[in-house]
Amino acid sequence: MIAFANLLERLVFTPGRNAKIALLRRYFATQPDPDRGIGLAAVTGELSFAAAKAGLIRDLAAAHTDPELFALSYDYVGDLAETVALMWPAANVNAPPPRLFEVVSTLTTAPKADLPRIVAAWLDASDASVRLALLKLITGGLRVGVSARLAKVALAEMSDGRVQPDDVEEVWHGLAPPYAELFAWIEGRADKPDPAEAPVFRPPMLAHPLEPGDFASLDPTALRAEWKWDGIRVQLVATNAGVRLYSRGAEDISAGFPEIVDAMHARAVLDGELLVIRDGIVAPFSELQQRLNRKTVTPKMMRDYPVAVRLYDILFDGTEDLRALPFDARRARLEAWYAKNRPPRMDLSELIPFASLEYLAILRDGARAASIEGLMLKRGDSPYVPGRPRGQWWKWKRDPLTIDAVLMYAQRGHGKRSSFYSDYTFGLWREGELVPVGKAYFGFTDEELLFLDKWIRNHTTARFGPVREVEKAMVLEVAFDAAQLSSRHKSGVALRFPRIARIRTDKPAADADRLEVLMRLVETAAVQA
Amino acid sequence: MAAEKVHIENMPHPETWLKVTPSGLFCEPGGFYVDPLRAVERAVVTHAHSDHARPGHQAVLATRETLAIMRTRMGEDQAGLSQQALAWGERVRVGEVDVWLEPAGHVLGSAQVAMEWQGSRAVVSGDYKRVPDPTTPGFVPIPCDVFVTEATFALPVFRHPKPEAEIARLLDSVDLFPERTHVVGCYSLGKCQRLVALLRAAGWDRPIYLHGAHVAICDTYAMLGVQLGDLRPATVAQKDALVGAIVLAPPSAIADRWARRLAEPVVCAASGWMRVRQRAKQGGVELPLVISDHADWDELLQTLEDVGAPEVWVTHGREEALIHAAGLRGIRGRALRLVGYGEEEA
């Protein structure tokens, strides 16, 4: 538990990806089974305990601390688990702190009535750092900023190149804590675990952005074109062992979209786009957003934001792996599968007929619906290869929209950027006042960042904690993919993927755009499916 | 350990002769202030942090070390027109009051001020800690009638871990990230030199690099006989030399423009405040080190017990919790609410 507590403490404060990987790697390499596997499950969010909850911690605090001192302390610290971890009275016990696997197995199996006594004994045997890890584990609030993907990258690095992160991905959802067979494989002591019939995630095939220089080398007859829909890319997996809906990042999102899981009867692995679709019309991304990042979903949410999957590809038909087939052959299999099964809440992504890239360019520029990001181009002979293989698939996003906005506030970045003011809030004019319309923290060059950082420091008019308000004198050209109505923003509008395109030192702030210019760019009407 | 305090019948209560004024705590029969908040005629100064040692007094009484550090920080002409150095335990009479100094263990030269008038004794501890510190003599409890204490970390959530364990965490990180520079935010007087001494004790004998703001006081410490080893300025030209090195800098510099000269810095901070995550996160700290020059909760309570005073006055900090805990122990508590302390460091 000490090593796990140290790991958590470092991860919580570490902003850098590589540093996090180094910390995870060392933890996995130095800790024994089964503790390290439990640690892996804990940081990737695979653990939860029904019996032990915040109420238990509150009761323990009440029984072991002076109520007035507890109230003053909680008020100061602001976090229940941390307050109790820090102020837990020192006990003279000789016992070592519990092992991580012992904690987890006890929390899973012990009768609820015994937990207060057991947890108190653990706290007595631990220091503040271990106590905090214990209490955060119990309440399920580790929040260490480690994605499941990052943990898999750290595991792959441990193998000295024999195993790639995507290999880990392929077996991951077929395994369970404490992952002994996974570690054995990573360390070269056993073969790759066989997920058999488990509904595991397959790493998806991704596209490269189409660059102007690519045109000359493209043969239109070898390419297939589809719309690039603005939803979230998903993988729908159905085997005899179950049905799962995964995000592109291998996160199991089945619980948030039960209607999709229910609609899947035939056995297959499908690649598609999750969208809110009403009467065949695709809604803007902001509507789908209402359904994202939820553990459960209410009937009302399901009625108000009806979701469906627009199918792009088929990876498995039954147990037959189709990934080595060319795109055209897979497409034929997908159409046949769809015709045979007719699953509700799914439709086929349409193939756009075209004769030349020029024609596609016109289509792309004309596509101004908020739910379309642009076009996808795929080679007809491309196999389904995990990752982002070169020269197979391209995304051809429509040209961004731009506005000239005024810099209003700036905030420092994180990690490497922690000494720079690199997060910019910008606004547009409305009746002589600036209204904030968005925030951007990329798009600029290193030189531009240095310039803006210096300008901000020299033109600060007020500070609010980490935020500086600046003179309303710097115009930024902001590029974005779409503008959508939003009730959550003061301006009433939200931007998709805003970034700083140019610094307009040549333009006086008074000449920046008015809010109504942006409102005219808002696209609410979607195209016919 | 100082001698037992003899209780005398009908002695005057310290509140009749030691008074809170806008300029700070005033000892009436002695005609002097302790750590006055503005320039006064006669001052007794516990230690050289700027919230306790203000410039421009006429006469200053303090330890030799405190006077030397004051001269370094504010210049000869601002550190008191007349300066009187007192050795540990040496008694002098100021006005009608006996005054002597005992170690407070906070920073080099830091003292508690003991005052006795007509058999009534009050001790102003200034800032203090109880854990051993290689750069300064340890705190000596003085039995008294009124003990005047700080309360910077007077909440039971503040229990500082062993400083050696925190230094081990720093060295472990240097080991794990050898290609990066570890920059530790720390106050220039006391914390900086203590970190150097702790690192030396842990076997770190490589050069330690300093921000310009830390150099002068380290020189003064060396002049006063505290050995700190090979210290070098962290100048712009040395980015390569700083790979794998430890750099000490003021807290304001560690995540700001100054730190850009460092190789992929791991931003660390050494302070008692690092105990609370939210405080540590606000400052953009990647490796918080809980190393404090102030007494933690247990030390504060232990000290109340050691000095045995029936009454405790709290100058600054989280007095509510300390007064509540003192009450549970049968000690009368009083909050002085001296505005102006606790501003420099922690």
Side-chain angles (χ1 to χ4, degrees):
Chain A
M1 197 72 205
I2 295 172
F4 180 67
N6 287 338
L7 173 72
L8 291 190
E9 196 159 326
R10 291 276 345 227
L11 286 175
V12 155
F13 291 103
T14 298
R17 182 184 144 89
N18 290 341
K20 282 183 177 170
I21 292 172
L23 290 163
L24 287 166
R25 191 181 159 173
R26 181 171 71 165
Y27 174 78
F28 296 140
T30 54
Q31 293 306 300
D33 288 319
D35 298 273
R36 58 179 172 173
I38 302 293
L40 172 59
V43 296
T44 54
E46 306 275 329
L47 297 179
S48 79
F49 310 104
K53 286 284 171 252
L56 169 91
I57 296 174
R58 232 175 251 282
D59 294 347
L60 278 175
H64 287 81
T65 61
D66 175 276
E68 181 153 354
L69 292 177
F70 177 79
L72 288 167
S73 298
Y74 188 18
D75 193 44
Y76 182 83
V77 175
D79 178 277
L80 177 68
E82 191 176 348
T83 307
V84 176
L86 292 177
M87 73 179 295
W88 190 260
N92 263 328
V93 287
N94 243 338
R99 281 181 65 177
L100 181 57
F101 91 94
E102 177 191 338
V103 168
V104 169
S105 61
T106 308
L107 287 176
T108 316
T109 56
K112 196 172 173 183
D114 292 349
L115 284 177
R117 184 186 50 77
I118 294 170
V119 174
W122 285 339
L123 294 175
D124 281 343
S126 305
D127 68 6
S129 146
V130 172
R131 288 195 296 260
L132 183 58
L134 260 171
L135 294 174
K136 288 282 176 188
L137 195 63
I138 289 172
T139 51
L142 292 182
R143 295 203 184 84
V144 289
V146 170
S147 65
R149 179 72 186 178
L150 198 71
K152 290 162 198 164
V153 171
L155 287 167
E157 282 198 4
M158 273 176 74
S159 77
D160 296 324
R162 278 177 295 105
V163 175
Q164 298 305 308
D166 279 344
D167 300 330
V168 181
E169 207 77 88
E170 284 225 7
V171 297
W172 179 257
H173 287 281
L175 302 173
Y179 304 108
E181 66 275 51
L182 174 67
F183 284 107
W185 168 50
I186 296 285
E187 291 171 344
R189 293 183 283 111
D191 289 338
K192 185 175 179 175
D194 177 12
E197 281 263 37
V200 296
F201 174 77
R202 285 5 184 257
M205 178 158 171
L206 305 171
H208 283 275
L210 188 68
E211 308 288 349
D214 293 333
F215 283 94
S217 63
L218 291 181
D219 168 13
T221 62
L223 295 178
R224 311 293 169 255
E226 292 171 85
W227 294 114
K228 180 168 173 23
W229 296 98
D230 189 13
I232 64 164
R233 184 92 177 272
V234 289
Q235 188 173 103
L236 193 47
V237 184
T239 70
N240 288 327
V243 180
R244 297 278 186 281
L245 184 67
Y246 292 110
S247 72
R248 200 186 99 166
E251 194 191 348
D252 184 348
I253 54 171
S254 313
F257 302 94
E259 66 265 60
I260 302 288
V261 172
D262 290 346
M264 186 71 176
H265 295 296
R267 305 288 170 251
V269 177
L270 305 169
D271 181 341
E273 194 87 11
L274 184 66
L275 299 161
V276 168
I277 302 181
R278 280 191 206 88
D279 305 321
I281 311 267
V282 178
F285 182 78
S286 53
E287 299 207 26
L288 178 63
Q289 222 165 11
Q290 309 296 321
R291 298 267 321 247
L292 299 180
N293 302 318
R294 288 174 187 275
K295 289 243 185 300
T296 56
V297 61
T298 61
K300 181 176 184 328
M301 295 290 297
M302 289 166 62
R303 265 197 321 276
D304 291 351
Y305 302 101
V307 288
V309 177
R310 186 147 288 175
L311 300 172
Y312 292 138
D313 216 322
I314 183 165
L315 283 62
F316 282 71
D317 188 350
T319 55
E320 184 188 355
D321 189 346
L322 306 178
R323 288 178 291 177
L325 296 180
F327 176 82
D328 287 342
R330 291 200 311 279
R331 175 75 195 191
R333 293 291 294 266
L334 177 65
E335 288 174 9
W337 181 89
Y338 185 76
K340 180 177 154 210
N341 294 296
R342 288 276 154 202
R345 297 190 175 277
M346 284 176 227
D347 61 18
L348 289 175
S349 161
E350 147 197 28
L351 284 182
I352 304 166
F354 67 98
S356 67
L357 292 173
E358 290 70 31
Y359 173 75
L360 280 181
I362 293 164
L363 269 189
R364 181 190 78 121
D365 291 341
R368 276 291 166 213
S371 51
I372 288 182
E373 286 187 285
L375 291 169
M376 290 295 302
L377 300 181
K378 300 175 179 175
R379 287 190 62 97
D381 59 3
S382 57
Y384 195 96
V385 183
R388 216 182 287 273
R390 291 232 150 257
Q392 302 291 321
W393 289 8
W394 295 267
K395 51 186 172 191
W396 193 11
K397 283 200 180 183
R398 60 189 194 183
D399 290 333
L401 303 163
T402 61
I403 45 167
D404 288 334
V406 181
L407 177 62
M408 300 179 70
Y409 306 94
Q411 190 170 355
R412 288 201 205 187
H414 297 281
K416 275 192 178 150
R417 285 213 195 136
S418 58
S419 73
F420 292 96
Y421 285 89
S422 63
D423 293 13
Y424 309 118
T425 301
F426 46 85
L428 297 176
W429 294 107
R430 179 173 66 191
E431 289 160 15
E433 255 188 10
L434 279 173
V435 188
V437 295
K439 232 179 142 173
Y441 41 88
F442 67 102
F444 37 77
T445 64
D446 288 353
E447 289 72 37
E448 288 173 325
L449 175 58
L450 270 174
F451 169 82
L452 284 173
D453 180 70
K454 189 168 175 208
W455 190 88
I456 287 156
R457 289 167 191 271
N458 292 335
H459 296 83
T460 300
T461 56
R463 294 178 190 220
F464 313 93
V467 178
R468 288 186 185 221
E469 182 172 6
V470 294
E471 279 173 41
K472 308 303 179 291
M474 174 62 67
V475 177
L476 302 172
E477 183 181 316
V478 178
F480 54 96
D481 284 3
Q484 300 172 350
L485 290 180
S486 163
S487 54
R488 285 197 299 195
H489 294 72
K490 190 178 165 191
S491 61
V493 61
L495 306 181
R496 283 285 277 157
F497 301 121
R499 61 259 187 197
I500 306 298
R502 264 198 303 164
I503 301 173
R504 295 294 305 268
T505 44
D506 56 315
K507 196 161 192 173
D511 294 351
D513 282 324
R514 306 176 55 76
L515 183 59
E516 60 221 46
V517 171
L518 178 59
M519 295 312 280
R520 281 201 292 273
L521 298 174
V522 170
E523 300 136 352
T524 44
V527 288
Q528 209 71 27
Chain B
M1 183 72 64
E4 231 3 70
K5 166 78 174 71
V6 182
H7 190 78
I8 296 170
E9 292 297 321
N10 301 323
M11 66 167 200
H13 190 283
E15 69 190 9
T16 63
W17 55 273
L18 189 59
K19 294 185 171 167
V20 175
T21 76
S23 293
L25 211 50
F26 182 57
C27 176
E28 245 171 30
F32 62 86
Y33 291 85
V34 181
D35 289 352
L37 297 158
R38 55 185 78 156
V40 298
E41 210 166 301
R42 302 183 71 83
V44 179
V45 172
T46 58
H47 67 286
H49 276 141
S50 60
D51 48 343
H52 293 260
R54 311 254 171 185
H57 305 310
Q58 296 285 314
V60 176
L61 183 72
T63 61
R64 175 179 79 100
E65 293 84 355
T66 294
L67 291 169
I69 299 166
M70 284 174 72
R71 289 193 296 270
T72 301
R73 301 194 100 186
M74 47 183 89
E76 291 282 344
D77 54 332
Q78 288 295 304
L81 290 179
S82 96
Q83 300 172 2
Q84 185 179 0
L86 222 51
W88 298 126
E90 177 189 350
R91 284 186 181 235
V92 290
R93 179 157 282 235
V94 183
E96 303 166 18
V97 178
D98 278 341
V99 177
W100 69 102
L101 306 176
E102 295 288 355
H106 176 57
V107 299
L108 182 58
S110 67
Q112 308 173 71
V113 179
M115 292 162 282
E116 200 165 277
W117 183 61
Q118 297 185 359
S120 163
R121 188 191 293 173
V123 171
V124 178
S125 57
D127 293 332
Y128 65 97
K129 68 173 175 289
R130 303 299 300 270
V131 292
D133 176 343
T135 65
T136 184
F139 181 95
V140 174
I142 310 164
C144 53
D145 300 302
V146 162
F147 182 66
V148 184
T149 183
E150 59 146 324
T152 306
F153 290 115
L155 276 178
V157 294
F158 291 112
R159 267 134 84 223
H160 310 322
K162 286 195 165 57
E164 294 77 17
E166 297 299 286
I167 291 295
R169 295 196 322 118
L170 172 60
L171 293 179
D172 174 66
S173 185
V174 172
D175 196 41
L176 184 63
F177 300 113
E179 71 290 357
R180 302 173 68 185
T181 301
H182 283 67
V183 55
V184 186
C186 56
Y187 291 96
S188 60
L189 166 54
K191 189 67 61 62
C192 168
Q193 298 76 24
R194 183 176 174 213
L195 288 176
V196 172
L198 284 165
L199 281 164
R200 299 303 185 211
W204 184 263
D205 47 16
R206 290 158 55 182
I208 293 172
Y209 294 86
L210 301 178
H211 182 283
H214 284 359
V215 173
I217 294 175
C218 285
D219 289 347
T220 305
Y221 263 58
M223 192 229 358
L224 293 167
V226 179
Q227 299 307 316
L228 298 173
D230 187 355
L231 301 180
R232 300 184 189 179
T235 51
V236 185
Q238 282 183 308
K239 191 157 186 164
D240 289 341
L242 296 180
V243 167
I246 296 174
V247 177
L248 306 182
S252 58
I254 52 174
D256 209 342
R257 282 180 285 187
W258 180 84
R260 290 180 200 162
R261 69 188 60 188
L262 309 175
E264 270 193 87
V266 177
V267 176
C268 319
S271 160
W273 300 115
M274 292 297 115
R275 186 80 274 190
V276 176
R277 276 191 177 179
Q278 205 47 46
R279 291 283 299 241
K281 287 207 118 173
Q282 273 169 5
V285 172
E286 185 164 346
L287 180 61
L289 302 169
V290 188
I291 300 179
S292 174
D293 284 334
H294 291 267
D296 69 4
W297 178 250
D298 293 337
E299 292 173 50
L300 289 167
L301 297 183
Q302 182 64 47
T303 304
L304 295 191
E305 190 170 303
D306 289 348
V307 301
E311 190 165 323
V312 59
W313 296 355
V314 184
T315 52
H316 62 289
R318 266 130 292 276
E319 64 261 5
E320 207 179 337
L322 187 59
I323 288 171
H324 172 77
L328 297 177
R329 287 159 177 76
I331 300 168
R332 191 178 150 222
R334 175 185 167 200
L336 301 184
R337 299 206 173 78
L338 289 173
V339 178
Y341 292 146
E343 282 170 2
E344 178 175 354
E345 53 72 66

